[in-house]
Amino acid sequence: MLMRYQRPKGTADILPGDSQTWQFVEATARQLFANYRFEEIRTPMFENFEVFSRTSGDTSDIVTKEMYDFKDKGDRHLSLRPEGTAGVVRAFVENKLYGPETQKPYKVYYMGPMFRYERPQSGRQRQFHQIGVEAFGSDAPELDVEVIALGMNLLSKLGLTHLRLALNTLGDKETRDNYRQALIDFLEPHFDELSDDSKVRLHKNPLRVLDSKDKHDQEIVVDAPSILDFLTPDATAHFDRVKASLDALGIAYDVDATMVRGLDYYNHTIFEIMADSPALGEGYTTVLAGGRYNGLVEELGGPDMPGVGFGLGVERLVLLMQAEKVAIPNDHPLDVYVVGIGDDTSLETLKLVQAIRQAGLTADRDYLSRKPKAQFKTANRLNAAYTLTIGDQELANQTANLKSMATGEEVSVPLADIYQDFQNVVATQFTAK
Ligand code: HAM
């Protein structure tokens, strides 16, 4: 029996039709990133395992359950990247971009596949794609807000409405040390009722328990102390400034004091932009998320240099755009369909489509020896602006018939003119009358 191959679980083929939406998303993002003066960085799709294990946190789901890690033939422990930030920070340090030669903040963006061994469902895959930004070298709360504003701006440019910005702060180290102890004190009396994951995390990283997916864990943490009651004066000042800057830009937000993130490197501002869509199940789904990660550069061997950024899940974004029926512009409409009548015209037809393309227009022709009627039908179906028809008679006369599909107007044009300057032919032939 013939072997049937299937794509690996949790992956997707993005086919023509859908890839147009992806290109629109990417082009819109690139344009907007240029407006905000972020430049592209491209880092490898795999890194040394430690790049992720040191940064994501050894109690995080990403490290404990979801890494695509492996030994290569040289016995190196590598991992496909589960997210973009760690690799960018590694590159920032390795290339000494923290030095005085680079402008601060150092602002970069990236787009590409990420890999997490998760249970696939709508909007969740094992190979998924992120568009992300990172900005290094400034502690200013206004920079947090620039990053958030960029995220909001991007999503609304892409046609998403019903967005909700959830905001929280994890404060500085002192804040978290104090809060951590308070959480442990609160959770310890419930130890026996906690899920196995949460039992392990209680002493290693109690904040993780707040993010537990377990129903009973969630009931317990409802009454947990709030991190907002443990902020140091510095952390409070930073958070107040973030809120004031969002207010100044007219960006609405909800402070969600119970929000924690799935990655351990955050401090101070964390945020999630959620969209309401039945397409992705009940309620709000997080489409874009990020925050500040002061200390991460140092963690990977660089100087003490702050950072802030976000990651946007492109699969979720595309599902939301489809649900909102966002219109995708057709960037490559068909200018000319060349119709060849009879086998003898095939060579000339080939030269004609090539000449039209070299003149900077889009052109296509038949390669299946279809009858003229079928070729015209194809031209119509493809929405061609013009047809250029050549049969034996025209070939003998060294002409072709150019027809405007919009007006039905048709003119006979010397092949020599077409080969010399097709754009000029189009511009002059139909306006003269
Ligand atoms: P994250 O919250 O782990 O953050 O992921 C960001 C976004 O990626 C999520 O909100 C979601 O839309 C998408 N995403 C995550 N996992 C999957 C999946 N399995 N399938 C489909 N989409 C997914 C980060 O990754 C951080 N690096 C963001 C960041 C950048 N923070 C600072 N700078």
Side-chain angles (χ1 to χ4, degrees), residues 83 85 116 118 123 125 130 134 261 265-266 287 309-310:
E83 57 108 32
T85 310
R116 295 183 194 177
E118 292 197 79
Q125 293 178 184
Q130 280 186 353
E134 315 292 350
R261 306 268 302 113
Y265 49 62
Y266 292 108
V287 60
F310 72 64

Side-chain angles (χ1 to χ4, degrees), residues 62 66 82-86 110 114-119 121 123-130 132-134 147 261-263 265-266 271-273 285-293 308-317:
I62 290 185
E66 298 171 358
E83 57 108 32
T85 310
Y110 50 87
M114 309 288 161
F115 307 86
R116 295 183 194 177
Y117 191 81
E118 292 197 79
R119 202 164 53 78
Q121 58 190 66
R124 180 177 302 159
Q125 293 178 184
R126 290 181 175 173
Q127 175 173 328
F128 63 102
H129 297 75
Q130 280 186 353
V133 304
E134 315 292 350
V147 165
R261 306 268 302 113
L263 296 147
Y265 49 62
Y266 292 108
F271 60 92
E272 299 192 348
I273 303 179
T285 330
T286 301
V287 60
L288 185 154
R292 198 164 255 291
Y293 46 81
V308 57
F310 72 64
L312 155 68
V314 185
E315 279 77 8
R316 289 182 196 183
L317 169 69

Side-chain angles (χ1 to χ4, degrees), residues 164-168 211 259-262 270-274 286-290:
R164 180 178 158 238
L165 170 61
L167 187 70
N168 194 18
D211 202 25
M259 180 168 80
V260 286
R261 306 268 302 113
I270 55 173
F271 60 92
E272 299 192 348
I273 303 179
M274 298 183 263
T286 301
V287 60
L288 185 154

